[in-house]
Amino acid sequence: MLTLQVEELLARFDPVAGTIAGADAVTRALSDMRGYYADADAFAQALAHDDPRVYHVAAVEPDQGDGALHFGIGRIEPGRIGAEYFMTKGHLHAWRPAAEYYIGLHGSGVMLLEDETGVQASMVPLEPHRAVYVPGFTAHRTINTGDEPLTYLGIYPARAGHDYGVIAARNFRHVIIERDGAPVMVAREDYLRELGR
């Protein structure tokens, strides 16, 4: 028997602003992204000029046990650090088998998906009217490759959790950079060699 009230079952969100009514948002400024961009010199130059908001994520996480579903809406601003686009920090799920769906709401971008070893990687388009399936055991990062804000909705099991520590320690093995006006996926080591580092 359903015991929840309508207000507990309904969430209102703004697909362009990337906000959820009544939900707090976690905001990441450029200064919070130190170590995530491969081009450390471009990062330092950008940060010396300004500390803009790169992205924010609001989430609804009902406390209904392991079978519950959570969802979040993210908004990534347009911009680049060197050739790398503005992006999220990215994460694995704390409960590694947990999968997730990302649904594009506004703007254009891609998702960088990697297995835990970084050997297998994919760049998948994320745009309005498209859903990207993120399998379990997969690190994922969302990247705005357009010139307007990218917003998206992510739906995941309550048990999933977020493991940011692995990414903070070793980062993704690939980067998404702008080349000839389009996003391309390049191995981080190869990109660092291109930069002379």
Side-chain angles (χ1 to χ4, degrees), residues 39-116:
D39 190 340
D41 291 343
F43 177 87
Q45 289 172 4
L47 190 57
H49 176 70
D50 195 11
D51 190 17
R53 178 177 69 185
V54 174
Y55 71 96
H56 72 255
V57 178
V60 173
E61 299 182 333
D63 186 16
Q64 298 294 317
D66 286 348
L69 290 175
H70 291 174
F71 82 93
I73 293 182
R75 175 179 161 130
I76 307 172
E77 302 304 322
R80 287 202 319 258
I81 300 301
E84 293 175 86
Y85 300 95
F86 275 14
M87 62 187 179
T88 63
K89 289 183 174 183
H91 63 274
L92 283 151
H93 289 144
W95 180 48
R96 294 292 195 265
E100 185 168 3
Y101 264 108
Y102 278 68
I103 300 166
L105 300 175
H106 180 80
S108 60
V110 298
M111 293 195 68
L112 174 59
L113 307 180
E114 285 188 356
D115 69 358
E116 286 197 67

Side-chain angles (χ1 to χ4, degrees), residues 85-153:
Y85 300 95
F86 275 14
M87 62 187 179
T88 63
K89 289 183 174 183
H91 63 274
L92 283 151
H93 289 144
W95 180 48
R96 294 292 195 265
E100 185 168 3
Y101 264 108
Y102 278 68
I103 300 166
L105 300 175
H106 180 80
S108 60
V110 298
M111 293 195 68
L112 174 59
L113 307 180
E114 285 188 356
D115 69 358
E116 286 197 67
T117 66
V119 172
Q120 293 185 345
S122 297
M123 180 179 76
V124 184
L126 180 64
E127 298 171 342
H129 313 292
R130 289 193 179 190
V132 176
Y133 179 69
V134 179
F137 302 95
T138 303
H140 41 293
R141 169 176 280 163
T142 313
I143 301 151
N144 184 347
T145 59
D147 55 9
E148 61 182 336
L150 169 69
T151 59
Y152 56 90
L153 183 145

